Amino acid sequence: MIRWDSMHIINLGVDLWICGSVIRKLLSYDLFGGLDLNEEDRLLIAYDSFKDWARKNKVQYLFCN
């Protein structure tokens, strides 16, 4: 049986692996600053885009260093 289990999906951090993988996949497309930039710069652009989106939509998020 396959079903949603928030304890193992969210609380144990599996969703962080999924989100990271999705961001890496999106970097292979021309979404964040173009393919001519290096990966670090495109990640910064992606993060800035996320911060702008969160601010516009009043979404609170936790940033971990």
Side-chain angles (χ1 to χ4, degrees):
M1 175 185 347
I2 299 174
R3 59 181 235 193
W4 178 260
D5 180 3
S6 65
M7 161 57 181
H8 290 97
I9 300 296
I10 297 171
N11 295 345
L12 294 179
V14 175
D15 62 330
L16 296 176
W17 286 81
I18 293 170
C19 290
S21 296
V22 169
I23 291 293
R24 292 294 303 260
K25 183 62 178 173
L26 289 174
L27 288 178
S28 68
Y29 300 108
D30 191 13
L31 292 176
F32 304 115
L35 298 175
D36 54 330
L37 296 174
N38 64 26
E39 185 175 292
E40 183 177 323
D41 290 337
R42 288 185 287 147
L43 284 171
L44 287 173
I45 292 169
Y47 180 62
D48 287 340
S49 297
F50 168 74
K51 288 192 304 185
D52 289 340
W53 174 86
R55 186 174 29 258
K56 288 176 187 173
N57 292 287
K58 298 180 178 152
V59 174
Q60 293 182 354
Y61 63 94
L62 177 64
F63 176 70
C64 301
N65 287 338

Tab-separated table of all heavy atoms in Angstrom:
chain	number	residue	atom	x	y	z
A	1	MET	N	0.847	-1.161	0.000
A	1	MET	CA	0.000	0.000	0.000
A	1	MET	C	0.900	1.233	0.000
A	1	MET	O	1.878	1.301	0.734
A	1	MET	CB	-0.888	-0.004	1.242
A	1	MET	CG	-1.681	1.240	1.341
A	1	MET	SD	-2.719	1.511	2.807
A	1	MET	CE	-2.835	0.017	3.659
A	2	ILE	N	0.553	2.183	-0.822
A	2	ILE	CA	1.256	3.461	-0.858
A	2	ILE	C	0.272	4.522	-0.397
A	2	ILE	O	-0.832	4.620	-0.930
A	2	ILE	CB	1.766	3.793	-2.268
A	2	ILE	CG1	2.757	2.723	-2.715
A	2	ILE	CG2	2.376	5.173	-2.298
A	2	ILE	CD1	3.204	2.875	-4.140
A	3	ARG	N	0.684	5.289	0.624
A	3	ARG	CA	-0.172	6.370	1.101
A	3	ARG	C	0.669	7.471	1.712
A	3	ARG	O	1.842	7.270	2.022
A	3	ARG	CB	-1.219	5.881	2.076
A	3	ARG	CG	-0.642	5.225	3.305
A	3	ARG	CD	-1.711	4.746	4.218
A	3	ARG	NE	-1.465	5.343	5.531
A	3	ARG	CZ	-2.041	4.976	6.620
A	3	ARG	NH1	-2.945	4.031	6.585
A	3	ARG	NH2	-1.770	5.546	7.754
A	4	TRP	N	0.087	8.642	1.883
A	4	TRP	CA	0.775	9.802	2.429
A	4	TRP	C	1.109	9.562	3.901
A	4	TRP	O	0.261	9.159	4.679
A	4	TRP	CB	-0.109	11.033	2.296
A	4	TRP	CG	0.509	12.268	2.874
A	4	TRP	CD1	0.233	12.802	4.086
A	4	TRP	CD2	1.505	13.089	2.296
A	4	TRP	NE1	0.992	13.920	4.293
A	4	TRP	CE2	1.792	14.123	3.201
A	4	TRP	CE3	2.199	13.063	1.092
A	4	TRP	CZ2	2.716	15.110	2.951
A	4	TRP	CZ3	3.115	14.049	0.856
A	4	TRP	CH2	3.368	15.054	1.765
A	5	ASP	N	2.344	9.815	4.269
A	5	ASP	CA	2.794	9.690	5.651
A	5	ASP	C	3.618	10.933	5.971
A	5	ASP	O	4.815	10.982	5.703
A	5	ASP	CB	3.629	8.418	5.820
A	5	ASP	CG	4.126	8.218	7.239
A	5	ASP	OD1	3.783	9.019	8.132
A	5	ASP	OD2	4.869	7.254	7.454
A	6	SER	N	2.957	11.944	6.545
A	6	SER	CA	3.625	13.226	6.761
A	6	SER	C	4.811	13.109	7.713
A	6	SER	O	5.780	13.847	7.587
A	6	SER	CB	2.634	14.265	7.277
A	6	SER	OG	2.147	13.898	8.558
A	7	MET	N	4.783	12.188	8.642
A	7	MET	CA	5.904	12.021	9.572
A	7	MET	C	7.186	11.697	8.811
A	7	MET	O	8.236	12.262	9.073
A	7	MET	CB	5.564	10.919	10.571
A	7	MET	CG	6.705	10.306	11.313
A	7	MET	SD	7.699	11.464	12.237
A	7	MET	CE	8.900	10.340	12.886
A	8	HIS	N	7.114	10.806	7.849
A	8	HIS	CA	8.311	10.391	7.126
A	8	HIS	C	8.608	11.278	5.919
A	8	HIS	O	9.748	11.381	5.504
A	8	HIS	CB	8.184	8.931	6.692
A	8	HIS	CG	8.253	7.996	7.852
A	8	HIS	ND1	7.128	7.497	8.450
A	8	HIS	CD2	9.306	7.510	8.551
A	8	HIS	CE1	7.476	6.735	9.459
A	8	HIS	NE2	8.794	6.717	9.550
A	9	ILE	N	7.589	11.899	5.364
A	9	ILE	CA	7.800	12.744	4.196
A	9	ILE	C	8.318	14.113	4.603
A	9	ILE	O	9.289	14.613	4.052
A	9	ILE	CB	6.492	12.899	3.390
A	9	ILE	CG1	5.996	11.537	2.916
A	9	ILE	CG2	6.685	13.841	2.230
A	9	ILE	CD1	6.915	10.834	1.963
A	10	ILE	N	7.678	14.735	5.572
A	10	ILE	CA	8.009	16.115	5.923
A	10	ILE	C	8.922	16.191	7.137
A	10	ILE	O	9.991	16.794	7.083
A	10	ILE	CB	6.720	16.924	6.149
A	10	ILE	CG1	5.926	16.970	4.851
A	10	ILE	CG2	7.039	18.322	6.657
A	10	ILE	CD1	4.543	17.540	4.982
A	11	ASN	N	8.523	15.595	8.232
A	11	ASN	CA	9.244	15.773	9.495
A	11	ASN	C	10.660	15.210	9.485
A	11	ASN	O	11.536	15.729	10.176
A	11	ASN	CB	8.457	15.164	10.650
A	11	ASN	CG	7.145	15.881	10.886
A	11	ASN	OD1	6.944	16.978	10.396
A	11	ASN	ND2	6.251	15.262	11.619
A	12	LEU	N	10.920	14.170	8.735
A	12	LEU	CA	12.264	13.593	8.689
A	12	LEU	C	13.111	14.159	7.563
A	12	LEU	O	14.245	13.759	7.378
A	12	LEU	CB	12.183	12.064	8.576
A	12	LEU	CG	11.578	11.377	9.798
A	12	LEU	CD1	11.507	9.875	9.578
A	12	LEU	CD2	12.354	11.689	11.060
A	13	GLY	N	12.569	15.067	6.811
A	13	GLY	CA	13.363	15.798	5.845
A	13	GLY	C	13.442	15.218	4.443
A	13	GLY	O	14.229	15.691	3.637
A	14	VAL	N	12.633	14.237	4.130
A	14	VAL	CA	12.657	13.680	2.779
A	14	VAL	C	12.262	14.750	1.767
A	14	VAL	O	12.798	14.803	0.660
A	14	VAL	CB	11.725	12.454	2.680
A	14	VAL	CG1	11.633	11.931	1.265
A	14	VAL	CG2	12.212	11.357	3.615
A	15	ASP	N	11.373	15.655	2.178
A	15	ASP	CA	10.943	16.713	1.262
A	15	ASP	C	12.096	17.634	0.893
A	15	ASP	O	12.125	18.188	-0.192
A	15	ASP	CB	9.785	17.511	1.847
A	15	ASP	CG	10.149	18.227	3.146
A	15	ASP	OD1	11.002	17.719	3.883
A	15	ASP	OD2	9.570	19.285	3.412
A	16	LEU	N	13.086	17.779	1.771
A	16	LEU	CA	14.235	18.619	1.443
A	16	LEU	C	15.054	18.005	0.312
A	16	LEU	O	15.588	18.721	-0.537
A	16	LEU	CB	15.111	18.834	2.677
A	16	LEU	CG	14.451	19.607	3.822
A	16	LEU	CD1	15.391	19.676	5.016
A	16	LEU	CD2	14.043	20.987	3.376
A	17	TRP	N	15.161	16.685	0.280
A	17	TRP	CA	15.864	16.005	-0.817
A	17	TRP	C	15.113	16.224	-2.126
A	17	TRP	O	15.706	16.468	-3.173
A	17	TRP	CB	15.979	14.508	-0.538
A	17	TRP	CG	16.976	14.193	0.508
A	17	TRP	CD1	16.800	14.264	1.866
A	17	TRP	CD2	18.318	13.775	0.303
A	17	TRP	NE1	17.954	13.917	2.495
A	17	TRP	CE2	18.903	13.601	1.571
A	17	TRP	CE3	19.082	13.534	-0.828
A	17	TRP	CZ2	20.215	13.202	1.729
A	17	TRP	CZ3	20.383	13.125	-0.669
A	17	TRP	CH2	20.938	12.961	0.593
A	18	ILE	N	13.785	16.130	-2.047
A	18	ILE	CA	12.975	16.302	-3.251
A	18	ILE	C	13.086	17.730	-3.761
A	18	ILE	O	13.308	17.960	-4.961
A	18	ILE	CB	11.506	15.930	-2.976
A	18	ILE	CG1	11.410	14.428	-2.703
A	18	ILE	CG2	10.600	16.339	-4.126
A	18	ILE	CD1	10.072	13.991	-2.181
A	19	CYS	N	12.958	18.714	-2.868
A	19	CYS	CA	13.046	20.120	-3.287
A	19	CYS	C	14.415	20.417	-3.887
A	19	CYS	O	14.506	21.096	-4.911
A	19	CYS	CB	12.779	21.045	-2.108
A	19	CYS	SG	11.073	21.018	-1.556
A	20	GLY	N	15.469	19.926	-3.264
A	20	GLY	CA	16.816	20.135	-3.799
A	20	GLY	C	16.985	19.514	-5.172
A	20	GLY	O	17.583	20.121	-6.072
A	21	SER	N	16.438	18.330	-5.353
A	21	SER	CA	16.536	17.654	-6.650
A	21	SER	C	15.762	18.406	-7.723
A	21	SER	O	16.218	18.504	-8.870
A	21	SER	CB	16.005	16.224	-6.537
A	21	SER	OG	16.808	15.476	-5.658
A	22	VAL	N	14.616	18.937	-7.358
A	22	VAL	CA	13.816	19.693	-8.323
A	22	VAL	C	14.552	20.972	-8.729
A	22	VAL	O	14.598	21.320	-9.919
A	22	VAL	CB	12.415	20.012	-7.745
A	22	VAL	CG1	11.680	21.025	-8.607
A	22	VAL	CG2	11.608	18.739	-7.606
A	23	ILE	N	15.149	21.669	-7.757
A	23	ILE	CA	15.902	22.884	-8.081
A	23	ILE	C	17.061	22.548	-9.014
A	23	ILE	O	17.313	23.247	-10.000
A	23	ILE	CB	16.409	23.589	-6.805
A	23	ILE	CG1	15.251	24.173	-6.026
A	23	ILE	CG2	17.432	24.660	-7.137
A	23	ILE	CD1	14.532	25.305	-6.714
A	24	ARG	N	17.784	21.465	-8.725
A	24	ARG	CA	18.910	21.071	-9.600
A	24	ARG	C	18.418	20.766	-11.009
A	24	ARG	O	19.060	21.113	-11.990
A	24	ARG	CB	19.627	19.848	-9.031
A	24	ARG	CG	20.388	20.058	-7.751
A	24	ARG	CD	21.574	20.981	-7.915
A	24	ARG	NE	22.516	20.547	-8.899
A	24	ARG	CZ	23.650	19.921	-8.651
A	24	ARG	NH1	23.997	19.645	-7.425
A	24	ARG	NH2	24.449	19.573	-9.629
A	25	LYS	N	17.264	20.117	-11.128
A	25	LYS	CA	16.705	19.818	-12.443
A	25	LYS	C	16.300	21.101	-13.164
A	25	LYS	O	16.542	21.264	-14.365
A	25	LYS	CB	15.500	18.876	-12.319
A	25	LYS	CG	14.908	18.450	-13.631
A	25	LYS	CD	15.913	17.681	-14.461
A	25	LYS	CE	15.296	17.216	-15.757
A	25	LYS	NZ	16.280	16.609	-16.642
A	26	LEU	N	15.687	22.045	-12.438
A	26	LEU	CA	15.283	23.309	-13.049
A	26	LEU	C	16.484	24.107	-13.535
A	26	LEU	O	16.377	24.872	-14.499
A	26	LEU	CB	14.465	24.146	-12.064
A	26	LEU	CG	13.060	23.631	-11.766
A	26	LEU	CD1	12.419	24.459	-10.669
A	26	LEU	CD2	12.204	23.624	-13.016
A	27	LEU	N	17.642	23.929	-12.895
A	27	LEU	CA	18.848	24.624	-13.337
A	27	LEU	C	19.310	24.141	-14.713
A	27	LEU	O	20.028	24.856	-15.410
A	27	LEU	CB	19.987	24.446	-12.333
A	27	LEU	CG	19.853	25.193	-11.016
A	27	LEU	CD1	21.037	24.877	-10.119
A	27	LEU	CD2	19.724	26.683	-11.230
A	28	SER	N	18.908	22.935	-15.094
A	28	SER	CA	19.308	22.424	-16.406
A	28	SER	C	18.502	23.080	-17.536
A	28	SER	O	18.834	22.916	-18.698
A	28	SER	CB	19.164	20.908	-16.463
A	28	SER	OG	17.806	20.522	-16.419
A	29	TYR	N	17.452	23.825	-17.169
A	29	TYR	CA	16.663	24.572	-18.144
A	29	TYR	C	17.043	26.042	-18.059
A	29	TYR	O	17.722	26.476	-17.155
A	29	TYR	CB	15.165	24.396	-17.877
A	29	TYR	CG	14.715	22.962	-17.949
A	29	TYR	CD1	14.382	22.276	-16.793
A	29	TYR	CD2	14.654	22.290	-19.153
A	29	TYR	CE1	13.975	20.949	-16.849
A	29	TYR	CE2	14.244	20.971	-19.219
A	29	TYR	CZ	13.902	20.306	-18.064
A	29	TYR	OH	13.510	19.005	-18.119
A	30	ASP	N	16.574	26.816	-18.978
A	30	ASP	CA	16.906	28.238	-19.049
A	30	ASP	C	15.917	29.061	-18.215
A	30	ASP	O	15.240	29.932	-18.726
A	30	ASP	CB	16.892	28.682	-20.514
A	30	ASP	CG	17.474	30.059	-20.717
A	30	ASP	OD1	18.112	30.561	-19.784
A	30	ASP	OD2	17.274	30.620	-21.800
A	31	LEU	N	15.836	28.772	-16.902
A	31	LEU	CA	14.878	29.456	-16.040
A	31	LEU	C	15.509	30.535	-15.169
A	31	LEU	O	14.893	31.569	-14.932
A	31	LEU	CB	14.173	28.451	-15.126
A	31	LEU	CG	13.245	27.464	-15.799
A	31	LEU	CD1	12.703	26.472	-14.800
A	31	LEU	CD2	12.115	28.192	-16.484
A	32	PHE	N	16.690	30.304	-14.688
A	32	PHE	CA	17.298	31.201	-13.713
A	32	PHE	C	18.568	31.819	-14.278
A	32	PHE	O	19.666	31.360	-14.042
A	32	PHE	CB	17.614	30.463	-12.415
A	32	PHE	CG	16.430	29.794	-11.795
A	32	PHE	CD1	16.370	28.421	-11.687
A	32	PHE	CD2	15.368	30.538	-11.318
A	32	PHE	CE1	15.278	27.796	-11.111
A	32	PHE	CE2	14.259	29.924	-10.748
A	32	PHE	CZ	14.220	28.554	-10.645
A	33	GLY	N	18.419	32.881	-15.046
A	33	GLY	CA	19.556	33.629	-15.519
A	33	GLY	C	20.233	33.114	-16.767
A	33	GLY	O	21.204	33.686	-17.218
A	34	GLY	N	19.762	32.056	-17.339
A	34	GLY	CA	20.361	31.535	-18.566
A	34	GLY	C	21.438	30.503	-18.300
A	34	GLY	O	22.038	30.455	-17.239
A	35	LEU	N	21.667	29.681	-19.287
A	35	LEU	CA	22.627	28.581	-19.152
A	35	LEU	C	24.070	29.036	-19.265
A	35	LEU	O	24.978	28.262	-18.995
A	35	LEU	CB	22.325	27.512	-20.203
A	35	LEU	CG	20.951	26.853	-20.081
A	35	LEU	CD1	20.729	25.902	-21.252
A	35	LEU	CD2	20.812	26.122	-18.764
A	36	ASP	N	24.301	30.291	-19.647
A	36	ASP	CA	25.674	30.773	-19.782
A	36	ASP	C	26.301	31.137	-18.430
A	36	ASP	O	27.520	31.257	-18.328
A	36	ASP	CB	25.736	31.966	-20.731
A	36	ASP	CG	24.782	33.082	-20.326
A	36	ASP	OD1	23.738	32.782	-19.743
A	36	ASP	OD2	25.098	34.249	-20.610
A	37	LEU	N	25.487	31.283	-17.366
A	37	LEU	CA	26.004	31.558	-16.025
A	37	LEU	C	26.419	30.257	-15.344
A	37	LEU	O	25.917	29.182	-15.678
A	37	LEU	CB	24.936	32.245	-15.172
A	37	LEU	CG	24.471	33.622	-15.629
A	37	LEU	CD1	23.315	34.099	-14.763
A	37	LEU	CD2	25.610	34.612	-15.590
A	38	ASN	N	27.300	30.372	-14.358
A	38	ASN	CA	27.676	29.158	-13.627
A	38	ASN	C	26.562	28.786	-12.643
A	38	ASN	O	25.650	29.563	-12.367
A	38	ASN	CB	29.038	29.313	-12.929
A	38	ASN	CG	29.030	30.378	-11.857
A	38	ASN	OD1	28.000	30.685	-11.279
A	38	ASN	ND2	30.193	30.938	-11.601
A	39	GLU	N	26.626	27.581	-12.115
A	39	GLU	CA	25.558	27.043	-11.274
A	39	GLU	C	25.354	27.871	-10.002
A	39	GLU	O	24.218	28.096	-9.577
A	39	GLU	CB	25.859	25.592	-10.909
A	39	GLU	CG	24.745	24.935	-10.145
A	39	GLU	CD	25.005	23.466	-9.900
A	39	GLU	OE1	24.999	22.698	-10.878
A	39	GLU	OE2	25.233	23.114	-8.746
A	40	GLU	N	26.434	28.323	-9.404
A	40	GLU	CA	26.322	29.107	-8.168
A	40	GLU	C	25.521	30.395	-8.395
A	40	GLU	O	24.652	30.738	-7.583
A	40	GLU	CB	27.708	29.441	-7.637
A	40	GLU	CG	27.696	30.194	-6.328
A	40	GLU	CD	29.094	30.442	-5.816
A	40	GLU	OE1	29.961	29.560	-5.977
A	40	GLU	OE2	29.316	31.532	-5.267
A	41	ASP	N	25.791	31.076	-9.490
A	41	ASP	CA	25.054	32.307	-9.796
A	41	ASP	C	23.586	32.016	-10.075
A	41	ASP	O	22.700	32.765	-9.663
A	41	ASP	CB	25.681	33.028	-10.986
A	41	ASP	CG	27.040	33.621	-10.660
A	41	ASP	OD1	27.317	33.865	-9.464
A	41	ASP	OD2	27.837	33.820	-11.597
A	42	ARG	N	23.310	30.926	-10.784
A	42	ARG	CA	21.914	30.574	-11.071
A	42	ARG	C	21.170	30.183	-9.801
A	42	ARG	O	19.994	30.490	-9.655
A	42	ARG	CB	21.841	29.460	-12.108
A	42	ARG	CG	22.240	29.993	-13.483
A	42	ARG	CD	22.068	28.990	-14.569
A	42	ARG	NE	23.115	27.987	-14.446
A	42	ARG	CZ	22.971	26.709	-14.765
A	42	ARG	NH1	21.838	26.287	-15.259
A	42	ARG	NH2	23.959	25.868	-14.627
A	43	LEU	N	21.867	29.541	-8.846
A	43	LEU	CA	21.233	29.218	-7.565
A	43	LEU	C	20.905	30.490	-6.783
A	43	LEU	O	19.850	30.577	-6.145
A	43	LEU	CB	22.135	28.301	-6.732
A	43	LEU	CG	22.177	26.846	-7.159
A	43	LEU	CD1	23.264	26.106	-6.403
A	43	LEU	CD2	20.820	26.180	-6.942
A	44	LEU	N	21.784	31.469	-6.838
A	44	LEU	CA	21.500	32.745	-6.173
A	44	LEU	C	20.297	33.439	-6.800
A	44	LEU	O	19.449	33.994	-6.100
A	44	LEU	CB	22.722	33.657	-6.227
A	44	LEU	CG	23.876	33.281	-5.308
A	44	LEU	CD1	25.089	34.158	-5.586
A	44	LEU	CD2	23.460	33.393	-3.854
A	45	ILE	N	20.202	33.389	-8.116
A	45	ILE	CA	19.051	33.974	-8.805
A	45	ILE	C	17.774	33.237	-8.422
A	45	ILE	O	16.729	33.849	-8.164
A	45	ILE	CB	19.268	33.962	-10.332
A	45	ILE	CG1	20.387	34.937	-10.699
A	45	ILE	CG2	17.982	34.306	-11.078
A	45	ILE	CD1	20.853	34.814	-12.133
A	46	ALA	N	17.838	31.911	-8.352
A	46	ALA	CA	16.674	31.111	-7.952
A	46	ALA	C	16.243	31.465	-6.533
A	46	ALA	O	15.050	31.619	-6.256
A	46	ALA	CB	16.987	29.622	-8.066
A	47	TYR	N	17.208	31.608	-5.632
A	47	TYR	CA	16.881	31.938	-4.246
A	47	TYR	C	16.280	33.338	-4.156
A	47	TYR	O	15.294	33.552	-3.439
A	47	TYR	CB	18.117	31.820	-3.359
A	47	TYR	CG	17.826	32.162	-1.922
A	47	TYR	CD1	16.920	31.410	-1.181
A	47	TYR	CD2	18.441	33.233	-1.312
A	47	TYR	CE1	16.634	31.726	0.121
A	47	TYR	CE2	18.157	33.563	0.003
A	47	TYR	CZ	17.254	32.806	0.719
A	47	TYR	OH	16.966	33.126	2.010
A	48	ASP	N	16.833	34.292	-4.885
A	48	ASP	CA	16.266	35.639	-4.894
A	48	ASP	C	14.846	35.635	-5.451
A	48	ASP	O	13.973	36.350	-4.948
A	48	ASP	CB	17.145	36.593	-5.694
A	48	ASP	CG	18.431	36.944	-4.974
A	48	ASP	OD1	18.506	36.776	-3.737
A	48	ASP	OD2	19.380	37.389	-5.657
A	49	SER	N	14.607	34.826	-6.469
A	49	SER	CA	13.259	34.705	-7.030
A	49	SER	C	12.296	34.138	-5.993
A	49	SER	O	11.155	34.591	-5.868
A	49	SER	CB	13.262	33.809	-8.265
A	49	SER	OG	14.046	34.355	-9.278
A	50	PHE	N	12.768	33.148	-5.243
A	50	PHE	CA	11.936	32.564	-4.185
A	50	PHE	C	11.617	33.603	-3.116
A	50	PHE	O	10.470	33.716	-2.666
A	50	PHE	CB	12.634	31.356	-3.556
A	50	PHE	CG	11.972	30.906	-2.292
A	50	PHE	CD1	10.760	30.240	-2.333
A	50	PHE	CD2	12.540	31.176	-1.061
A	50	PHE	CE1	10.129	29.844	-1.156
A	50	PHE	CE2	11.926	30.782	0.118
A	50	PHE	CZ	10.710	30.121	0.060
A	51	LYS	N	12.626	34.386	-2.683
A	51	LYS	CA	12.392	35.405	-1.659
A	51	LYS	C	11.382	36.439	-2.142
A	51	LYS	O	10.507	36.845	-1.376
A	51	LYS	CB	13.700	36.081	-1.266
A	51	LYS	CG	14.619	35.204	-0.443
A	51	LYS	CD	15.775	35.974	0.172
A	51	LYS	CE	16.576	36.713	-0.866
A	51	LYS	NZ	17.774	37.362	-0.310
A	52	ASP	N	11.490	36.854	-3.397
A	52	ASP	CA	10.526	37.802	-3.962
A	52	ASP	C	9.120	37.220	-3.965
A	52	ASP	O	8.149	37.891	-3.595
A	52	ASP	CB	10.925	38.207	-5.381
A	52	ASP	CG	12.151	39.091	-5.433
A	52	ASP	OD1	12.488	39.715	-4.399
A	52	ASP	OD2	12.774	39.150	-6.514
A	53	TRP	N	9.007	35.968	-4.389
A	53	TRP	CA	7.702	35.299	-4.405
A	53	TRP	C	7.124	35.201	-3.000
A	53	TRP	O	5.939	35.494	-2.781
A	53	TRP	CB	7.837	33.908	-5.023
A	53	TRP	CG	6.575	33.130	-4.932
A	53	TRP	CD1	5.529	33.151	-5.807
A	53	TRP	CD2	6.213	32.214	-3.885
A	53	TRP	NE1	4.538	32.305	-5.368
A	53	TRP	CE2	4.931	31.723	-4.199
A	53	TRP	CE3	6.839	31.776	-2.735
A	53	TRP	CZ2	4.268	30.813	-3.385
A	53	TRP	CZ3	6.182	30.871	-1.912
A	53	TRP	CH2	4.910	30.397	-2.246
A	54	ALA	N	7.952	34.806	-2.021
A	54	ALA	CA	7.481	34.665	-0.643
A	54	ALA	C	7.018	36.013	-0.081
A	54	ALA	O	6.000	36.097	0.608
A	54	ALA	CB	8.582	34.064	0.225
A	55	ARG	N	7.762	37.069	-0.373
A	55	ARG	CA	7.394	38.394	0.117
A	55	ARG	C	6.066	38.845	-0.508
A	55	ARG	O	5.179	39.332	0.186
A	55	ARG	CB	8.505	39.387	-0.195
A	55	ARG	CG	8.302	40.755	0.379
A	55	ARG	CD	9.474	41.717	0.182
A	55	ARG	NE	10.315	41.503	-0.997
A	55	ARG	CZ	11.507	40.912	-0.978
A	55	ARG	NH1	12.014	40.460	0.156
A	55	ARG	NH2	12.200	40.770	-2.087
A	56	LYS	N	5.908	38.648	-1.804
A	56	LYS	CA	4.679	39.064	-2.489
A	56	LYS	C	3.462	38.290	-2.000
A	56	LYS	O	2.367	38.820	-1.931
A	56	LYS	CB	4.823	38.881	-3.998
A	56	LYS	CG	5.742	39.868	-4.642
A	56	LYS	CD	5.907	39.568	-6.122
A	56	LYS	CE	6.969	40.470	-6.727
A	56	LYS	NZ	7.272	40.090	-8.118
A	57	ASN	N	3.663	37.007	-1.669
A	57	ASN	CA	2.556	36.152	-1.245
A	57	ASN	C	2.453	36.009	0.265
A	57	ASN	O	1.670	35.199	0.760
A	57	ASN	CB	2.693	34.776	-1.897
A	57	ASN	CG	2.483	34.862	-3.383
A	57	ASN	OD1	1.366	35.034	-3.833
A	57	ASN	ND2	3.555	34.783	-4.151
A	58	LYS	N	3.274	36.771	1.003
A	58	LYS	CA	3.268	36.777	2.466
A	58	LYS	C	3.445	35.372	3.042
A	58	LYS	O	2.737	34.951	3.949
A	58	LYS	CB	1.995	37.429	2.985
A	58	LYS	CG	1.885	38.870	2.547
A	58	LYS	CD	0.648	39.521	3.033
A	58	LYS	CE	0.690	40.965	2.555
A	58	LYS	NZ	-0.548	41.557	2.348
A	59	VAL	N	4.412	34.651	2.480
A	59	VAL	CA	4.734	33.304	2.939
A	59	VAL	C	5.966	33.389	3.822
A	59	VAL	O	6.986	33.934	3.412
A	59	VAL	CB	5.004	32.360	1.738
A	59	VAL	CG1	5.477	31.007	2.211
A	59	VAL	CG2	3.776	32.255	0.871
A	60	GLN	N	5.852	32.871	5.026
A	60	GLN	CA	7.005	32.841	5.919
A	60	GLN	C	7.778	31.561	5.667
A	60	GLN	O	7.204	30.501	5.428
A	60	GLN	CB	6.560	32.899	7.363
A	60	GLN	CG	5.920	34.213	7.722
A	60	GLN	CD	5.532	34.271	9.187
A	60	GLN	OE1	5.639	33.292	9.907
A	60	GLN	NE2	5.079	35.427	9.630
A	61	TYR	N	9.081	31.646	5.728
A	61	TYR	CA	9.928	30.482	5.526
A	61	TYR	C	11.103	30.560	6.471
A	61	TYR	O	11.457	31.624	6.963
A	61	TYR	CB	10.383	30.376	4.068
A	61	TYR	CG	11.241	31.536	3.619
A	61	TYR	CD1	12.634	31.465	3.676
A	61	TYR	CD2	10.656	32.708	3.157
A	61	TYR	CE1	13.403	32.530	3.279
A	61	TYR	CE2	11.429	33.771	2.755
A	61	TYR	CZ	12.803	33.685	2.817
A	61	TYR	OH	13.562	34.737	2.432
A	62	LEU	N	11.717	29.444	6.724
A	62	LEU	CA	12.879	29.360	7.602
A	62	LEU	C	14.110	29.178	6.744
A	62	LEU	O	14.180	28.266	5.921
A	62	LEU	CB	12.733	28.179	8.558
A	62	LEU	CG	13.889	27.912	9.488
A	62	LEU	CD1	14.094	29.070	10.445
A	62	LEU	CD2	13.668	26.633	10.257
A	63	PHE	N	15.074	30.076	6.897
A	63	PHE	CA	16.324	29.974	6.159
A	63	PHE	C	17.376	29.405	7.100
A	63	PHE	O	17.616	29.949	8.174
A	63	PHE	CB	16.768	31.332	5.628
A	63	PHE	CG	18.099	31.297	4.948
A	63	PHE	CD1	18.239	30.660	3.730
A	63	PHE	CD2	19.217	31.854	5.527
A	63	PHE	CE1	19.452	30.612	3.087
A	63	PHE	CE2	20.441	31.814	4.905
A	63	PHE	CZ	20.553	31.186	3.676
A	64	CYS	N	17.976	28.312	6.722
A	64	CYS	CA	19.021	27.676	7.542
A	64	CYS	C	20.366	27.852	6.858
A	64	CYS	O	20.499	27.639	5.668
A	64	CYS	CB	18.738	26.186	7.712
A	64	CYS	SG	17.177	25.850	8.475
A	65	ASN	N	21.374	28.229	7.614
A	65	ASN	CA	22.739	28.341	7.069
A	65	ASN	C	23.458	27.042	7.195
A	65	ASN	O	23.333	26.301	8.060
A	65	ASN	CB	23.517	29.428	7.801
A	65	ASN	CG	23.044	30.812	7.410
A	65	ASN	OD1	22.460	30.976	6.356
A	65	ASN	ND2	23.267	31.772	8.251
